[in-house]
Amino acid sequence: MNARERNHDEGPVSRADNPTVPLLPVPPVAAPAAGSKPAHGAAGRSHKHESARAQVAGAATYVDDMREARGTLYAAPILSTVAHGRLLGVDATAALAMPGVRDVILARDIPGDPLLATFVHDEPVFATGTVEHIGQVIGLVVAGSVMEARRAARKVQLNIEELPAILKVRDALKAESYVLPPVFVKRGDAAKALKAARHILSGQLEVGGQEHFYLEGQVAYVVPQEQNQWLVYSSTQHPGEVQHWVSHALGIDNHAVRVECRRMGGGFGGKETQAGHLAVWAAIAANKLKCPIKLRLDRDDDFMVTGKRHPFAYDYTVGFDDTGRLTGLKLMMAANCGFSADLSGPVADRAIFHTDNAYFLEDVEIASYRCKTNTQSHTAFRGFGGPQGVVLIETILGDIGRHLGLDPLDVRKRNLYGIEERNVTHYQMKVEDNILDPLLSKLELSAQYRSRREAISAWNAKSPVIKRGIAITPVKFGISFTATLFNQAGALVHVYTDGSVQVNHGGTEMGQGLNTKVAQVVADELGVAFEDVLATASDTSKIPNASATAASAGTDLNARAAQYAARNVKNNLAQFVAGLDGCGAGAVSFAGGAISSPKGSRPFPEVVRMAYANRIQLWSDGFYRTPKIHYDKTTLTGRPFYYFAYGAACSEVAIDTLTGESRVLKVDILHDVGTSINPAIDIGQIEGGFVQGMGWLTTEQLVWNDKGLLTTHAPSTYKIPAAGDIPEHFKIELWPEPNREDNVFGSKAVGEPPFMLAISVLEALKEAVAAARDGTVRLDAPATAENVLKALRNS
Ligand code: MTE
Ligand code: HPA
Ligand code: MOS
């Protein structure tokens, strides 16, 4: 391993060879030959993930791996055993008598606001008075070891008087039980269009939630500092939010709380808000006991306590012509939000924004209900409501194709957004970067969709038990936080006197490769090697008020902010060199680890040392805000998204009509990431997003029993895709065109959009079911063996 690799994998090595700073300028070496190309840039290449080696070697530190401060105690949560009830008493006597137990922390121990500082302010820190779901946290047991705390937490006696609970989203709808008021969006006149329609179909659909199943569970480690100041290590996508919540609960200023996150072992949206709860709980215990407290949920508790993807229920009526073109659409979407609002408002909004997916909806009426149930409070999950919008319109278009006896791909293509006309969304945003038609056509050819569809149909005719299906579905996903204010970011770039570079930004690393991409962009800007740039832990004391790393916008926002910071340093150096060489600063260039003027070239570290000696600033901040976006929250109209990311997938599946079991056989994907900053990472995101989407739609089933107990709360009963579920043929191609909007390096966001490509699997399953029976197919998600059997048998 050379020093550069070590630098990245195991943290910085000391550069003992740092020579003393020369006081006289070093003359440049001869100018490079005219026409010679600068060395290959750092961005646009498949550099391996900045922590890959350390992660494989077990040398990358997660919160639970950190060396603990002396006197650290461990907490475990006390959970409600009733879905809805009056909490009449908590008897901790037996728990306090258990070995190692130090204390029991309850709502009375909260020094600040007993409500969490969430957007809607509707969630208690610890339940008091009432409990609203099984698994709601009532308090903590603190003990000398993790296991002592967990055992004792089970011994706390809860006196809860049961109240009627609402567990199903359609029951909540009937009872008008909402966490937020309904939202209605319409364009044109859907009722009139439906009346005039040549064909009408009505239907219902239910789509399940999804557990994030990050490999690293939720964890917080709170270490008291001097003078009522706090250091919080949190596995969080949003350190700034954790800082707010902790200071709010402790009743102190934001500036007294510092939150750090080096990396997460996966977040997937599950650590956008949910990480804050653990940090607040641990901080309250640390405040009372005046010692460091660590709180890490075990897998079962993590399932019971934290929110998941929102399950949705839908009713729809659609009008269409003989060719399958939509003429009118009426939709009802009910989101199961759980017991509190959390992010349900923006999640349900994003579902509305994505009910069009790739298609022009002319006369449309959408009613969106944000239903309150006595379950965990559902939260962000990859796609953030987008998948729940897209799955509905794809279901509808598949239904139309099967109803009319047309190839659903033709129906889909007939409804795509146009270029010159039919190009305005139902929320009044013009689709300016539409590549849907050429992208779908390219995939249709490369995957040989038409001939395979024919071959499958012939094969099915001869196969009585196993049936196959194939489907292509597109994705158009809006990039930007729908709340315009979150689309801002900051970064710091430090150049040290040995020429090494450190970058820090407001984003967080959760495995998606953000730090790698940011380092690549900074390296490119300064013309140095990727290995010379080190990205460091997210830290609220370095970049304040940072947004969550979410909405797929991590690189768009933070890499641009970092690029601007690097540019400031570069400009300082360019001016300095211009002064030395008597040229304009614009004539100074940065590439291949050297800084060049028309007079010649000097190594980057050389110039840095000279600049330092001449008191030139070698570090800078950078700030970026996304241009062009605006939108009206009350009517949900405007331009909420800077641009769209596009893609399409072709999936082939087989079902066993006797058992309902299914397999995904072949997948071909064509996806648009603009000009890729790192193709290996982007393809990894596409693979991972697709497979996670497959899990949501096929095997991952959350089952709450009639008491409201989540009975699938461990890997024994909750089935995420395993290596064996990955299709044998899994081919991914990148669309070869830069982002048409001015985005960092010409790239596009990639984190969430590919998740929705997996809807092609659900559509292919319906095609397979349709090959085995007559009439329309209703297949709810997840398409477990039971649900596939139901789809085969129901009429
Ligand atoms: N990839 C990995 N490996 N782990 C994750 O937790 N989260 C996804 C996606 N890809 C996630 C991931 C989600 S929900 C989002 S919003 C984006 O990454 C966030 O990171 P980005 O904006 O930097 O792409
Ligand atoms: N996407 C993801 N996370 C978010 C959003 C969004 O649009 N808004 C608030 N948090
Ligand atoms: Mo991703 S759901 O926006 O964290």
Side-chain angles (χ1 to χ4, degrees), residues 119 272 343 346-347 350 380 383-384 480-483 486 548 550-552 641 752:
F119 293 114
E272 186 168 338
L343 295 167
V347 166
R350 192 172 272 272
F384 203 76
S480 293
F481 285 96
T482 53
F486 295 146
S552 303
F641 307 121
E752 295 166 289

Side-chain angles (χ1 to χ4, degrees), residues 78-80 124 126-127 130-138 304 339:
I78 302 162
L79 307 182
S80 169
F126 291 126
T130 55
V131 289
E132 299 203 273
H133 76 92
I134 294 180
Q136 189 175 6
V137 175
I138 291 167
M304 297 305 272
F339 81 100

Side-chain angles (χ1 to χ4, degrees), residues 464-730:
V465 174
I466 308 292
K467 299 287 183 188
R468 293 190 179 199
I470 186 169
I472 290 186
T473 59
V475 165
K476 162 183 137 290
F477 191 77
I479 303 299
S480 293
F481 285 96
T482 53
T484 305
L485 80 160
F486 295 146
N487 296 287
Q488 55 174 306
L492 290 173
V493 166
H494 297 175
V495 176
Y496 294 95
T497 51
D498 64 351
S500 67
V501 181
Q502 212 180 67
V503 58
N504 189 274
H505 55 86
T508 55
E509 176 65 42
M510 58 193 100
Q512 86 279 38
L514 174 60
N515 280 345
T516 310
K517 289 182 175 178
V518 170
Q520 286 180 269
V521 168
V522 168
D524 240 23
E525 190 66 30
L526 295 173
V528 300
F530 169 68
E531 290 78 7
D532 291 328
V533 182
L534 187 72
T536 56
S538 316
D539 181 335
T540 55
S541 69
K542 287 193 172 170
I543 305 297
N545 314 322
S547 298
T549 307
S552 303
T555 300
D556 291 15
L557 297 171
N558 295 289
R560 249 289 149 81
Q563 186 179 39
Y564 289 171
R567 193 163 294 167
N568 290 338
V569 177
K570 178 171 153 176
N571 288 342
N572 292 348
L573 291 172
Q575 267 182 6
F576 172 67
V577 169
L580 294 179
D581 290 358
C583 63
V588 178
S589 63
F590 294 68
I595 302 179
S596 308
S597 79
K599 281 238 181 98
S601 180
R602 300 176 183 86
F604 183 84
E606 204 79 60
V607 177
V608 165
R609 272 196 294 274
M610 292 192 298
Y612 171 74
N614 285 276
R615 298 183 293 172
I616 305 295
Q617 187 176 341
L618 290 174
W619 58 275
S620 176
D621 62 326
F623 180 77
Y624 175 70
R625 57 169 167 256
T626 312
K628 294 190 178 179
I629 49 177
H630 59 88
Y631 112 102
D632 180 336
K633 258 202 241 172
T634 50
T635 57
L636 299 197
T637 57
R639 177 175 179 159
F641 307 121
Y642 185 34
Y643 61 89
F644 294 102
Y646 298 93
C650 177
S651 294
E652 182 180 335
V653 303
I655 61 169
D656 180 327
T657 55
L658 298 179
T659 64
E661 288 165 293
S662 65
R663 282 201 73 77
V664 180
L665 303 173
K666 276 190 177 187
V667 174
D668 292 270
I669 290 173
L670 179 54
H671 195 77
D672 164 33
V673 298
T675 303
S676 178
I677 294 174
N678 187 317
I681 284 177
D682 285 346
I683 288 171
Q685 284 292 299
I686 295 166
E687 289 169 343
F690 183 90
V691 172
Q692 196 168 38
M694 239 173 74
W696 170 50
L697 293 171
T698 57
T699 57
E700 295 183 40
Q701 190 173 31
L702 295 163
V703 180
W704 285 272
N705 71 12
D706 58 1
K707 291 283 182 203
L709 174 73
L710 177 63
T711 55
T712 52
H713 53 78
S716 53
T717 46
Y718 186 82
K719 295 297 179 188
I720 62 170
D725 296 310
I726 290 169
E728 221 164 276
H729 172 103
F730 195 17

